[in-house]
Amino acid sequence: MGTILFELALTSYFTATIISIYEIFRGMKEASRLMLITAGVGFAIHSASIVSRYLEAGHLPITSMHEASSFFAWCVVLIFFFLELRYKIGIMGSFIMPIVFLLMLSSSVLPREIRPLSPVLQSYWLGIHTFLAFLGNAAFAVAFGVGIMYLLQEHYLKAKRTHGLFKRLPSLQVLDEINYKLITLGFPLLTLAIITGALWAENAWGSYWRWDPKETWSLITWFIYALVLHIRLTAGWRGKKAAILSIIGFVVVLFTFFGVNLTLKSLHTFS
Amino acid sequence: MKILVVGLNHKTAGVDVRERLAFNGPKLEEGVFGLKKVQEIKEVALLSTCNRVEIYTCVGNCNSGAENVKQFLSTFHGIGRCDFEKALYVHTGAQAIRHVFRVAASLDSMVVGEPQILGQLKDAFDFALARKTTGILLNQLMKKAISTAKRVRTETRIAENAVSISFAAVELARKIFTELAGKSFMLMGAGEMAELAARHLVNNGVTEVMVVNRTYERGCELASEFNGKAVRFENFLQELVHTDIIICSTGAPSYVLRKDQMQKVMKERKHRPVFIIDISVPRNIDPGINKIENVYLYDVDDLQEVVDTNVMERQKEADKAEMIITEEVEKFIRWVASLDSVPTIVALRQKAEEIKGEELEKFRTKFPDLDEKKMKAIEYLATSLMNKLIHPPTAALKDDSEDRDELIAMIKKLYGLNGDEHEE
């Protein structure tokens, strides 16, 4: 059942992504609406698939790469819909849905079997730590999409290209505001994820910090976003620079998530 | 009954002709009532704006109707027909319906997509409606013209792009700042175009206005017009730190703001975005300033380019609008045609009733001995036969078919309905 639901969610997100790309090039109001509906349907099915897997496995389904990618994608859509409700920028979907689809696609090619939970993971920290980390990372993922939107709009304004996509992208102020809000949301979540992770590590292995690759890369991510916030407040690094930094930040997030798991040996490596 | 439009607009007539044929003030009422009295005209409405004078009518015969309208215009305004006849256009039937829909949707306007014309058209019809010079056909035409114009507005982006320099400035400012409310604005120098752009910005919510002028007194004068404050020319750099939008038109022969100065300003304002419009020729602001991050500099050519692009976009949207109009015109023609078939249906029934009456009468004379009960049964049979026989042609006439006109002609011919119940 979970598998069927997962495939259906993947198909819906794929459809939404195709529509969202069409929307970028053709700029039709109807396409935007259709994309939101398809993504909404996908999100509902996706939620059901996570619940179904939770019931099947008996624990939060975020212990394998397949589950983690899928849950990551789910958190991104959740934040996207929150923003959509608040700002109503249909075109934003064109920059977020491809990220969601790629996360789901990577999830779909990874091994899907449910493995028994290792003793160290059998803790209430599993839910708290991972949920905080994924939600934080999802905020950074959306900030990445919004950062790209900012750079595009900024380019159009500087180059004086004022037709097509320029008309449909929101103002620089709105994009910068959303970007800033997402980072101020993601940063404390990531901080809490690191703190709860440290507490859990102390509990499980007897030490707060072991310089495990995942821990190290998470710290690098944390420093990047701390820098974004710091220089924004002190030196006024807003707009374009903030957008570029949020793009770099998310690349590091992706490396921490996929790169570390797939290439480096880490205690965090999912089965 | 046919719809007939006689008129002229900015494309067909110069302002000298348009002003002589305009129906201003009391002339409008006189004109509408005068036209209503013209032979052939059954319904009339009159639209008179600075760009067009149009007479919408319903007439029995289009040719004589148009002739009469032309003659009326000549007599009413005291102008020889040869002085304006070349500028007139005459549209009838479907062409007339299309014309009215295009006017309402602002596709026939000087600035395609500008919204005023719909309001003017509504006023013209309300005026006629209040004076009872319109009827079922023109009222429905207007209702449809308004709804079509609204459909065009919602389904296309025809009115979304600014097509004047000052509106383009507002549009661009909105792409940087979202809301202009709460933003501060500096007007450097004066000049008609700069003032107009300033006025648009203020109308769109800019609250804090500063005016910088070489002559401080002129600056104060201008500042009072915008409820702003005057700033001495030598102090303008300090004020720039607090300014979000600048319009510059000082007429100075060289740059009044250099890149290095602006860099300092940006540092001081913590790189908050600035939108600068340089309308002066020669330019007063170093174009290199556009390279500074968060500074967006547009000169008069850039703005003109934005306007030109927008005009092109409007044209693209206008093509979509034309398709909507074609669709609506077809619907309206079908409605008008359905009106045409009503008199034929009535005539057909009348004819059938007549025949039935006559035949029953003959029958009664032939068989005077028949009792009332039997006669009633025969009458019933005759009615039933008549109804059954006229049902198919009636249904066909009511049907929304494309060849209704032919059908009407055919039924008239077949049943010998040659009365003048159907005006053509």
Side-chain angles (χ1 to χ4, degrees):
Chain A
M1 185 63 184
T3 312
I4 298 168
L5 288 171
F6 178 86
E7 298 293 347
L8 279 174
L10 179 69
T11 315
S12 300
Y13 289 149
F14 175 67
T15 317
T17 303
I18 296 292
I19 301 169
S20 72
I21 291 167
Y22 178 79
E23 157 69 1
I24 287 191
F25 293 104
R26 297 302 298 269
M28 283 172 70
K29 288 179 185 173
E30 297 79 10
S32 222
R33 209 174 308 134
L34 195 63
M35 183 271 298
L36 282 175
I37 293 168
T38 326
V41 170
F43 184 64
I45 301 171
H46 194 183
S47 309
S49 92
I50 291 172
V51 171
S52 153
R53 191 157 172 116
Y54 172 78
L55 296 174
E56 216 177 320
H59 57 81
L60 205 62
I62 34 179
T63 54
S64 71
M65 271 301 272
H66 162 72
E67 292 172 346
S69 290
S70 161
F71 192 69
F72 192 176
W74 184 85
C75 290
V76 175
V77 187
L78 182 75
I79 289 178
F80 164 65
F81 273 113
F82 263 118
L83 285 177
E84 185 57 36
L85 279 178
R86 163 78 177 79
Y87 290 96
K88 305 214 167 12
I89 307 168
I91 189 85
M92 201 198 308
S94 299
F95 294 84
I96 307 299
M97 286 325 289
I99 304 174
V100 173
F101 172 65
L102 288 176
L103 285 172
M104 285 294 274
L105 191 70
S106 60
S107 170
S108 73
V109 295
L110 291 160
R112 296 188 189 185
E113 74 269 33
I114 296 174
R115 294 228 187 118
L117 209 56
S118 63
V120 73
L121 291 179
Q122 287 171 11
S123 160
Y124 57 90
W125 287 114
L126 173 70
I128 300 168
H129 167 70
T130 45
F131 191 67
L132 289 169
F134 278 118
L135 212 55
N137 284 347
F140 296 144
V142 180
F144 165 83
V146 173
I148 291 179
M149 286 167 82
Y150 187 97
L151 291 186
L152 269 175
Q153 186 67 313
E154 211 261 351
H155 167 75
Y156 288 143
L157 269 164
K158 283 275 187 195
K160 286 134 193 182
R161 275 186 56 201
T162 57
H163 56 279
L165 194 55
F166 169 79
K167 303 261 183 217
R168 284 171 286 131
L169 284 170
S171 72
L172 292 181
Q173 192 187 338
V174 162
L175 291 169
D176 191 45
E177 182 189 311
I178 297 177
N179 192 288
Y180 180 58
K181 278 188 179 165
L182 284 166
I183 291 171
T184 47
L185 168 77
F187 184 70
L189 287 171
L190 180 67
T191 311
L192 285 172
I194 291 174
I195 293 169
T196 51
L199 292 173
W200 186 11
E202 206 277 333
N203 217 314
W205 299 305
S207 73
Y208 288 106
W209 198 265
R210 300 162 61 95
W211 293 107
D212 167 76
K214 185 101 174 185
E215 289 172 358
T216 312
W217 278 97
S218 293
L219 197 64
I220 293 170
T221 314
W222 188 87
F223 271 118
I224 289 175
Y225 286 106
L227 189 75
V228 174
L229 291 177
H230 177 72
I231 54 182
R232 186 182 181 102
L233 294 173
T234 54
W237 268 40
R238 62 183 71 240
K240 191 177 177 181
K241 281 183 182 142
I244 293 173
L245 277 181
S246 64
I247 290 168
I248 295 172
F250 183 62
V251 172
V252 177
V253 167
L254 280 184
F255 180 75
T256 312
F257 183 67
F258 285 110
V260 172
N261 280 316
L262 300 173
T263 59
L264 303 173
K265 203 171 157 46
S266 158
L267 289 167
H268 274 83
T269 307
F270 296 104
S271 49
Chain B
M1 287 265 276
K2 281 259 166 91
I3 294 168
L4 165 78
V5 175
V6 180
L8 48 86
N9 63 19
H10 56 281
K11 289 179 223 161
T12 64
V15 67
D16 52 326
V17 179
R18 296 204 305 269
E19 65 191 6
R20 286 175 78 189
L21 285 180
F23 290 85
N24 298 324
K27 270 188 168 183
L28 185 63
E29 185 142 16
E30 273 174 56
V32 170
F33 281 131
L35 279 159
K36 186 74 186 9
K37 286 185 200 136
V38 169
Q39 211 189 350
E40 285 289 346
I41 292 179
K42 308 276 191 274
E43 297 180 31
V44 66
L46 213 165
L47 172 71
S48 180
T49 72
C50 51
N51 275 344
R52 64 181 68 238
V53 176
E54 294 191 337
I55 294 148
Y56 307 117
T57 60
C58 274
V59 290
N61 183 294
C62 287
N63 290 335
S64 51
E67 272 307 301
N68 295 347
V69 170
K70 285 179 193 170
Q71 193 50 49
F72 172 83
L73 284 174
S74 169
T75 326
F76 187 85
H77 293 291
I79 319 169
R81 276 178 67 160
C82 54
D83 290 338
F84 67 88
E85 219 167 330
K86 266 194 207 157
L88 282 185
Y89 41 81
V90 175
H91 299 305
T92 57
Q95 209 190 354
I97 298 163
R98 170 177 290 276
H99 178 78
V100 179
F101 285 12
R102 289 187 80 247
V103 168
S106 186
L107 292 174
D108 197 48
S109 301
M110 192 184 255
V111 178
V112 170
E114 55 93 14
Q116 289 116 302
I117 186 67
L118 182 62
Q120 290 166 331
L121 195 68
K122 269 187 205 165
D123 290 345
F125 268 90
D126 286 343
F127 188 84
L129 198 67
R131 280 147 193 85
K132 297 192 168 64
T133 60
T134 55
I136 180 167
L137 214 55
L138 283 192
N139 291 343
Q140 184 69 4
L141 177 76
M142 188 53 207
K143 238 169 85 183
K144 278 286 149 196
I146 294 169
S147 65
T148 305
K150 285 186 180 155
R151 210 187 133 194
V152 165
R153 190 65 47 85
T154 49
E155 290 180 28
T156 72
R157 295 173 202 263
I158 196 154
E160 278 179 24
N161 307 306
V163 285
S164 73
I165 296 248
S166 39
F167 272 110
V170 172
E171 186 185 277
L172 286 167
R174 283 222 176 97
K175 281 293 177 190
I176 300 168
F177 302 112
T178 321
E179 286 296 322
L180 300 187
K183 293 286 173 281
S184 54
F185 160 61
M186 183 185 280
L187 175 64
M188 294 175 74
E192 206 182 322
M193 205 195 282
E195 273 188 55
L196 194 63
R199 222 169 284 284
H200 278 302
L201 284 169
V202 172
N203 287 344
N204 280 279
V206 168
T207 34
E208 204 183 311
V209 181
M210 284 169 276
V211 179
V212 180
N213 207 289
R214 291 252 182 221
T215 338
Y216 185 66
E217 287 67 36
R218 170 78 182 118
C220 291
E221 220 174 275
L222 211 56
S224 67
E225 272 184 50
F226 294 110
N227 266 339
K229 67 166 187 181
V231 175
R232 288 189 187 278
F233 193 80
E234 48 277 21
N235 298 338
F236 91 88
L237 269 178
Q238 286 100 294
E239 293 294 341
L240 270 190
V241 177
H242 316 291
T243 309
D244 303 309
I245 303 164
I246 303 158
I247 293 183
C248 184
S249 168
T250 68
S254 57
Y255 299 152
V256 294
L257 184 61
R258 294 187 316 271
K259 194 177 171 186
D260 57 319
Q261 292 172 314
M262 195 62 203
Q263 268 164 335
K264 269 189 209 153
V265 168
M266 286 309 283
K267 213 171 177 184
E268 272 187 67
R269 57 183 275 122
K270 289 206 166 176
H271 304 280
R272 275 182 293 120
V274 183
F275 178 37
I276 309 175
I277 302 156
D278 183 5
I279 316 188
S280 1
V281 180
R283 284 177 293 183
N284 284 168
I285 295 181
D286 179 1
I289 279 180
N290 192 44
K291 293 207 175 80
I292 303 174
E293 210 167 294
N294 296 322
V295 181
Y296 304 92
L297 169 66
Y298 280 68
D299 63 32
V300 73
D301 283 359
D302 297 330
L303 285 179
Q304 190 54 50
E305 219 165 287
V306 173
V307 169
D308 292 346
T309 316
N310 286 355
V311 168
M312 262 160 35
E313 295 248 325
R314 277 199 181 196
Q315 198 44 55
K316 259 194 250 163
E317 294 304 305
D319 293 344
K320 280 190 213 163
E322 293 286 1
M323 272 160 28
I324 294 174
I325 284 180
T326 304
E327 214 177 278
E328 294 295 333
V329 168
E330 277 169 17
K331 275 192 216 162
F332 192 78
I333 291 173
R334 281 205 292 276
W335 177 79
V336 174
S338 75
L339 282 185
D340 284 350
S341 61
V342 173
T344 313
I345 294 170
V346 173
L348 180 64
R349 177 155 279 278
Q350 262 174 3
K351 178 101 181 178
E353 291 279 1
E354 252 171 54
I355 295 170
K356 185 187 87 177
E358 280 166 18
E359 292 308 307
L360 280 173
E361 204 43 52
K362 276 188 206 162
F363 190 80
R364 212 173 263 138
T365 344
K366 244 182 193 171
F367 305 101
D369 302 338
L370 273 178
D371 62 31
E372 202 53 31
K373 206 177 164 189
K374 280 185 182 144
M375 199 57 214
K376 274 258 158 67
I378 288 162
E379 258 187 59
Y380 177 79
L381 174 74
T383 308
S384 165
L385 273 173
M386 177 196 83
N387 284 340
K388 288 237 160 88
L389 279 169
I390 64 166
H391 176 72
T394 310
L397 282 170
K398 281 184 183 165
D399 201 25
D400 186 23
S401 66
E402 277 177 16
D403 53 355
R404 186 164 17 209
D405 281 350
E406 285 170 39
L407 201 66
I408 291 171
M410 206 183 290
I411 286 171
K412 278 180 171 176
K413 204 171 175 185
L414 287 172
Y415 290 92
L417 309 171
N418 296 321
D420 51 355
E421 73 285 343
H422 185 69
E423 293 177 69
E424 273 295 338

